[in-house]
Short mmCIF file of all heavy atoms in Angstrom, two decimals:
data_model
loop_
_atom_site.label_atom_id
_atom_site.label_comp_id
_atom_site.label_asym_id
_atom_site.label_seq_id
_atom_site.Cartn_x
_atom_site.Cartn_y
_atom_site.Cartn_z
N LEU A 168 37.82 69.86 1.25
CA LEU A 168 38.25 71.11 0.75
C LEU A 168 38.18 72.17 1.86
O LEU A 168 39.00 73.07 1.89
CB LEU A 168 37.49 71.44 -0.54
CG LEU A 168 37.80 70.63 -1.73
CD1 LEU A 168 36.82 70.92 -2.81
CD2 LEU A 168 39.16 71.00 -2.17
N ASP A 169 37.13 72.25 2.68
CA ASP A 169 37.00 73.18 3.73
C ASP A 169 38.03 72.91 4.77
O ASP A 169 38.67 73.94 5.32
CB ASP A 169 35.64 72.99 4.37
CG ASP A 169 34.48 73.66 3.63
OD1 ASP A 169 34.87 74.50 2.78
OD2 ASP A 169 33.38 73.28 3.89
N ARG A 170 38.45 71.65 4.99
CA ARG A 170 39.58 71.24 5.94
C ARG A 170 40.92 71.90 5.34
O ARG A 170 41.69 72.42 6.10
CB ARG A 170 39.62 69.86 6.05
CG ARG A 170 38.68 69.21 7.01
CD ARG A 170 38.84 67.70 6.96
NE ARG A 170 37.84 67.07 7.79
CZ ARG A 170 38.11 66.54 9.10
NH1 ARG A 170 39.29 66.72 9.51
NH2 ARG A 170 37.07 65.93 9.78
N LEU A 171 41.07 71.83 4.00
CA LEU A 171 42.26 72.37 3.37
C LEU A 171 42.33 73.88 3.57
O LEU A 171 43.36 74.33 3.90
CB LEU A 171 42.30 71.83 1.88
CG LEU A 171 43.42 72.56 1.06
CD1 LEU A 171 44.71 71.89 1.39
CD2 LEU A 171 43.14 72.28 -0.48
N ARG A 172 41.22 74.54 3.31
CA ARG A 172 41.24 75.96 3.47
C ARG A 172 41.34 76.40 4.98
O ARG A 172 42.24 77.35 5.17
CB ARG A 172 39.75 76.45 3.02
CG ARG A 172 39.50 76.34 1.50
CD ARG A 172 38.18 76.86 1.14
NE ARG A 172 37.91 76.58 -0.28
CZ ARG A 172 36.96 75.71 -0.60
NH1 ARG A 172 36.27 75.06 0.40
NH2 ARG A 172 36.64 75.44 -1.92
N THR A 173 40.97 75.65 5.79
CA THR A 173 41.19 76.04 7.30
C THR A 173 42.65 75.76 7.61
O THR A 173 43.25 76.63 8.37
CB THR A 173 40.27 75.13 8.28
OG1 THR A 173 38.85 75.35 7.84
CG2 THR A 173 40.45 75.31 9.62
N ALA A 174 43.22 74.64 7.22
CA ALA A 174 44.69 74.45 7.50
C ALA A 174 45.50 75.36 7.00
O ALA A 174 46.41 75.96 7.58
CB ALA A 174 45.00 72.89 7.07
N MET A 175 45.43 75.76 5.61
CA MET A 175 46.24 76.63 5.06
C MET A 175 45.94 78.11 5.48
O MET A 175 46.92 78.92 5.50
CB MET A 175 46.15 76.56 3.49
CG MET A 175 46.62 75.25 3.05
SD MET A 175 46.77 75.12 1.16
CE MET A 175 48.02 76.25 0.74
N GLY A 176 44.73 78.43 5.74
CA GLY A 176 44.34 79.74 6.19
C GLY A 176 44.83 80.15 7.59
O GLY A 176 44.80 81.28 7.96
N SER A 177 45.29 79.01 8.29
CA SER A 177 45.84 79.40 9.63
C SER A 177 47.24 79.72 9.55
O SER A 177 47.81 79.99 10.70
CB SER A 177 45.73 77.99 10.43
OG SER A 177 44.33 77.59 10.53
N ASN A 178 47.97 79.86 8.43
CA ASN A 178 49.24 80.29 8.35
C ASN A 178 49.37 81.53 7.47
O ASN A 178 48.40 81.86 6.77
CB ASN A 178 50.10 79.16 7.68
CG ASN A 178 50.12 77.86 8.46
OD1 ASN A 178 50.78 77.82 9.54
ND2 ASN A 178 49.38 76.88 8.05
N ASP A 179 50.52 82.21 7.63
CA ASP A 179 50.64 83.56 6.98
C ASP A 179 51.32 83.29 5.65
O ASP A 179 52.00 82.30 5.46
CB ASP A 179 51.37 84.58 7.74
CG ASP A 179 52.68 84.12 8.13
OD1 ASP A 179 53.59 84.02 7.27
OD2 ASP A 179 53.05 83.85 9.34
N PRO A 180 51.13 84.10 4.65
CA PRO A 180 51.66 83.97 3.29
C PRO A 180 53.24 83.95 3.29
O PRO A 180 53.84 83.25 2.50
CB PRO A 180 51.11 85.16 2.50
CG PRO A 180 49.84 85.54 3.13
CD PRO A 180 50.07 85.26 4.66
N GLU A 181 53.78 84.70 4.26
CA GLU A 181 55.20 84.80 4.19
C GLU A 181 55.87 83.48 4.55
O GLU A 181 56.89 83.09 3.98
CB GLU A 181 55.65 85.86 5.31
CG GLU A 181 55.35 87.31 4.97
CD GLU A 181 53.90 87.67 5.25
OE1 GLU A 181 53.10 86.95 5.87
OE2 GLU A 181 53.41 88.64 4.57
N SER A 182 55.33 82.67 5.47
CA SER A 182 55.90 81.30 5.73
C SER A 182 55.69 80.39 4.53
O SER A 182 56.56 79.69 4.27
CB SER A 182 55.19 80.68 6.98
OG SER A 182 55.39 81.42 8.16
N PHE A 183 54.54 80.52 3.92
CA PHE A 183 54.24 79.69 2.65
C PHE A 183 55.34 80.03 1.62
O PHE A 183 55.89 79.24 0.95
CB PHE A 183 52.86 79.95 2.18
CG PHE A 183 52.56 79.28 0.93
CD1 PHE A 183 52.46 77.84 0.86
CD2 PHE A 183 52.36 80.11 -0.21
CE1 PHE A 183 52.06 77.29 -0.40
CE2 PHE A 183 52.02 79.44 -1.47
CZ PHE A 183 51.91 78.01 -1.49
N VAL A 184 55.60 81.38 1.34
CA VAL A 184 56.54 81.78 0.34
C VAL A 184 57.99 81.32 0.78
O VAL A 184 58.71 80.84 -0.14
CB VAL A 184 56.46 83.29 0.12
CG1 VAL A 184 57.59 83.76 -0.62
CG2 VAL A 184 55.02 83.69 -0.42
N ALA A 185 58.29 81.52 1.95
CA ALA A 185 59.67 81.04 2.39
C ALA A 185 59.84 79.64 2.23
O ALA A 185 60.89 79.12 1.71
CB ALA A 185 59.85 81.36 3.91
N GLY A 186 58.85 78.77 2.50
CA GLY A 186 58.93 77.35 2.29
C GLY A 186 59.06 77.03 0.83
O GLY A 186 59.94 76.17 0.46
N THR A 187 58.28 77.77 -0.10
CA THR A 187 58.22 77.51 -1.43
C THR A 187 59.50 77.82 -2.02
O THR A 187 60.16 77.01 -2.88
CB THR A 187 57.03 78.28 -2.09
OG1 THR A 187 55.77 77.68 -1.67
CG2 THR A 187 57.17 78.14 -3.57
N GLU A 188 60.11 78.95 -1.77
CA GLU A 188 61.44 79.45 -2.31
C GLU A 188 62.49 78.45 -1.86
O GLU A 188 63.41 78.31 -2.61
CB GLU A 188 61.63 80.79 -1.98
CG GLU A 188 60.60 81.84 -2.62
CD GLU A 188 60.84 83.23 -2.31
OE1 GLU A 188 61.66 83.55 -1.31
OE2 GLU A 188 60.33 84.10 -3.13
N SER A 189 62.42 77.99 -0.66
CA SER A 189 63.45 76.96 -0.21
C SER A 189 63.46 75.73 -1.09
O SER A 189 64.36 75.14 -1.36
CB SER A 189 63.32 76.70 1.29
OG SER A 189 64.22 75.92 1.78
N LEU A 190 62.12 75.28 -1.30
CA LEU A 190 61.95 74.15 -2.11
C LEU A 190 62.55 74.41 -3.56
O LEU A 190 63.26 73.49 -4.25
CB LEU A 190 60.55 73.66 -2.19
CG LEU A 190 59.84 73.18 -0.86
CD1 LEU A 190 58.37 73.03 -1.10
CD2 LEU A 190 60.52 71.85 -0.55
N GLU A 191 62.22 75.46 -4.15
CA GLU A 191 62.68 75.76 -5.51
C GLU A 191 64.23 75.76 -5.59
O GLU A 191 64.69 75.46 -6.59
CB GLU A 191 62.10 77.16 -5.90
CG GLU A 191 60.59 77.11 -6.02
CD GLU A 191 59.93 78.43 -6.28
OE1 GLU A 191 60.61 79.46 -6.01
OE2 GLU A 191 58.83 78.43 -6.90
N ALA A 192 64.82 76.18 -4.51
CA ALA A 192 66.20 76.36 -4.58
C ALA A 192 67.05 75.10 -4.33
O ALA A 192 68.22 75.05 -4.55
CB ALA A 192 66.77 77.47 -3.63
N MET A 193 66.34 74.06 -3.76
CA MET A 193 67.13 72.87 -3.26
C MET A 193 67.37 71.87 -4.26
O MET A 193 66.66 71.77 -5.26
CB MET A 193 66.54 72.34 -2.04
CG MET A 193 65.09 71.96 -2.13
SD MET A 193 64.97 70.11 -2.80
CE MET A 193 63.25 70.08 -3.39
N ASP A 194 68.42 71.03 -4.13
CA ASP A 194 68.61 69.86 -4.86
C ASP A 194 69.27 68.92 -3.90
O ASP A 194 70.46 69.05 -3.52
CB ASP A 194 69.66 70.15 -5.96
CG ASP A 194 69.91 68.89 -6.85
OD1 ASP A 194 69.56 67.79 -6.52
OD2 ASP A 194 70.58 69.04 -7.93
N LEU A 195 68.46 67.88 -3.45
CA LEU A 195 68.91 67.00 -2.50
C LEU A 195 69.32 65.65 -3.04
O LEU A 195 69.47 64.65 -2.26
CB LEU A 195 67.77 66.85 -1.44
CG LEU A 195 67.25 68.07 -0.72
CD1 LEU A 195 66.27 67.62 0.42
CD2 LEU A 195 68.42 68.88 -0.05
N SER A 196 69.45 65.57 -4.33
CA SER A 196 69.78 64.24 -5.05
C SER A 196 71.07 63.66 -4.42
O SER A 196 71.12 62.44 -4.38
CB SER A 196 69.85 64.49 -6.51
OG SER A 196 70.62 65.57 -6.89
N ASP A 197 72.02 64.53 -4.10
CA ASP A 197 73.36 63.94 -3.58
C ASP A 197 73.16 63.41 -2.16
O ASP A 197 74.04 62.46 -1.74
CB ASP A 197 74.40 65.01 -3.43
CG ASP A 197 74.89 65.39 -4.87
OD1 ASP A 197 74.60 64.71 -5.75
OD2 ASP A 197 75.53 66.40 -5.09
N LEU A 198 72.12 63.65 -1.47
CA LEU A 198 71.88 63.08 -0.10
C LEU A 198 71.25 61.74 -0.07
O LEU A 198 71.24 61.00 0.90
CB LEU A 198 70.94 64.14 0.72
CG LEU A 198 71.46 65.49 0.90
CD1 LEU A 198 70.43 66.27 1.83
CD2 LEU A 198 72.80 65.57 1.42
N LEU A 199 70.52 61.32 -1.20
CA LEU A 199 69.79 60.12 -1.24
C LEU A 199 70.58 58.91 -0.80
O LEU A 199 70.06 57.99 -0.12
CB LEU A 199 69.19 59.98 -2.60
CG LEU A 199 68.27 60.99 -3.13
CD1 LEU A 199 67.63 60.72 -4.50
CD2 LEU A 199 67.08 61.11 -2.00
#
Side-chain angles (χ1 to χ4, degrees):
L168 288 168
D169 282 341
R170 287 172 176 261
L171 175 69
R172 295 183 187 104
T173 297
M175 293 188 68
S177 300
N178 296 288
D179 61 68
E181 289 77 17
S182 296
F183 175 69
V184 170
T187 292
E188 291 182 343
S189 185
L190 290 173
E191 291 171 337
M193 60 84 198
D194 181 353
L195 303 186
S196 54
D197 289 344
L198 303 184
L199 298 180

